[in-house]
Amino acid sequence: KAQRRGGSAIDAALIDGGWVVWSEDRAGQSDLFARNLATGVEQRLTNSAQPETLGNLEEGFVTWEEIRDPSYAIDVFAYDLATGVEIQVSPADLGIDEFQPHTDGTTVVYTANASPPDVYAFDLVAQSSTPVATSTTATEIAMGVSGDFMVMLISTGVDPTLVRERISDGNRVAFATIAGVHEIGGDYVLFSDLGGLNAYRFSTGAVVNVAAEWVETDLADGVVAWTAPNLATSSDDVYTKVLPAGAVTQVTATTGDEYEPAFLGAGVAWGADDATGLRQGLFSADGGATVELASYGMIPLSDVVANYDVAIVSHEAAPLFRAATIDALSITPRPWLTSLA
């Protein structure tokens, strides 16, 4: 699943299913673009004076937030890359912001800023909406979705609670309080509370503690990657753990900082600052040596995004992405996009 990781000159990039989608400012206007990695063909998804906030890329559907309402309320939209058809996910309710789309498969969940906020699920194929949580007394915010399960943050004026809800029958279970969601995928939701970084398993209801400290995280196929301070080197390193009971593996042990871990093929990619200030995009397969994806000297590396067999490393000096494909353990960096501005 591709979810937004913003921050570069092009602002945000997503990778999934042979597509890359990004937000870019061209001629003073920020819009969404897509590129088919197999054909190299680029599509412009939006052409609006209002900026879009990129949401997710999943199974050929792109979601985003945009203001088109005359009252300047936010709505959620989707784009079918196969057909070239745009879909309005949230209804055009004047004055009501609808935002934070989360996608899994062809299901989108989002929050409607009613009084108090409510949560809805939208089927991109049937193009139908289902109210999931519409309490008149509680604040309900969509945090993510995986299959038939979604996660919400619910508050009734006391400590906010994380709950999982089965969309098909409304079965609801609370699993954490005063907590924040990091990633959702497969059978797990990765969250943090006062006890550290944890994983909740949808199928069993069990909670596993992953780490006491963390900085950035990723979750894919039941494996967690995160960065955390290493007191021995006075820097942040990359760690992984196979859920639920696998041992913690320390992937890096350098004097420079590592950041933005992202799963890539059979391993994990990350950005790094080495002892000389060189900025790199790096990769390591399970138990294998570290391989360089890209290097930019002293240029600030701002984004490392990876999914399946493609990684993108972007930097802030110019709107350029560099993609790297993995063939076994051989990685060949290749530039693939430059701005038209």
Side-chain angles (χ1 to χ4, degrees):
K1 178 187 299 186
Q3 296 185 330
R4 181 167 56 89
R5 298 171 181 268
S8 74
I10 297 186
D11 185 46
L14 305 174
I15 311 170
D16 188 69
W19 289 92
V20 177
V21 176
W22 70 97
S23 173
E24 184 178 358
D25 191 332
R26 296 186 180 179
Q29 177 174 300
S30 179
D31 283 304
L32 302 182
F33 301 86
R35 180 178 291 261
N36 186 310
L37 288 175
T39 66
V41 175
E42 179 182 302
Q43 293 178 229
R44 186 176 195 134
L45 309 186
T46 63
N47 191 356
S48 171
Q50 295 289 345
E52 299 85 11
T53 300
L54 191 55
N56 308 122
L57 168 60
E58 177 85 3
E59 294 196 7
F61 289 95
V62 185
T63 58
W64 71 91
E65 303 169 10
E66 184 180 348
I67 296 174
R68 295 186 189 175
D69 196 306
S71 65
Y72 295 97
I74 301 169
D75 279 310
V76 177
F77 298 87
Y79 188 96
D80 186 338
L81 291 168
T83 64
V85 174
E86 181 184 281
I87 302 166
Q88 178 145 356
V89 173
S90 62
D93 296 327
L94 296 180
I96 298 178
D97 287 333
E98 289 143 330
F99 53 92
Q100 290 184 347
H102 303 275
T103 310
D104 188 59
T106 57
T107 300
V108 182
V109 297
Y110 65 91
T111 302
N113 194 25
S115 183
D118 295 324
V119 174
Y120 294 84
F122 186 87
D123 186 319
L124 288 167
V125 176
Q127 297 192 21
S128 60
S129 182
T130 301
V132 177
T134 56
S135 170
T136 58
T137 58
T139 295
E140 299 150 321
I141 299 175
M143 304 302 292
V145 59
S146 183
D148 193 28
F149 292 105
M150 67 170 297
V151 176
M152 295 183 293
L153 184 67
I154 297 181
S155 175
T156 57
V158 293
D159 294 339
T161 300
L162 284 178
V163 304
R164 75 101 176 109
E165 176 147 337
R166 199 158 45 217
I167 298 173
S168 59
D169 62 10
N171 177 268
R172 182 178 295 182
V173 175
F175 63 88
T177 57
I178 317 179
V181 172
H182 292 255
E183 320 280 346
I184 298 176
D187 199 22
Y188 292 94
V189 51
L190 192 65
F191 71 97
S192 58
D193 60 13
L194 298 178
L197 184 65
N198 310 284
Y200 172 84
R201 193 169 190 176
F202 292 120
S203 60
T204 66
V207 174
V208 176
N209 182 258
V210 176
E213 294 184 290
W214 70 96
V215 180
E216 296 170 308
T217 65
D218 196 18
L219 170 68
D221 299 326
V223 186
V224 182
W226 71 97
T227 54
N230 183 342
L231 297 180
T233 59
S234 299
S235 61
D236 291 346
D237 281 315
V238 178
Y239 301 82
T240 61
K241 177 183 175 65
V242 179
L243 297 172
V248 172
T249 299
Q250 184 172 341
V251 179
T252 66
T254 66
T255 56
D257 282 329
E258 278 80 26
Y259 48 88
E260 292 189 339
F263 284 103
L264 179 60
V268 63
W270 66 92
D273 301 340
D274 70 12
T276 67
L278 183 68
R279 305 298 181 102
Q280 300 170 299
L282 302 172
F283 166 82
S284 177
D286 294 341
T290 298
V291 180
E292 185 177 280
L293 297 174
S295 177
Y296 295 108
M298 297 299 292
I299 297 171
L301 188 70
S302 62
D303 229 0
V304 177
V305 186
N307 191 271
Y308 300 106
D309 65 347
V310 179
I312 288 181
V313 182
S314 63
H315 63 84
E316 296 173 347
L320 167 71
F321 288 164
R322 182 172 293 271
T325 59
I326 290 184
D327 181 8
L329 296 181
S330 174
I331 300 177
T332 305
R334 55 188 175 90
W336 65 274
L337 170 70
T338 54
S339 173
L340 300 181

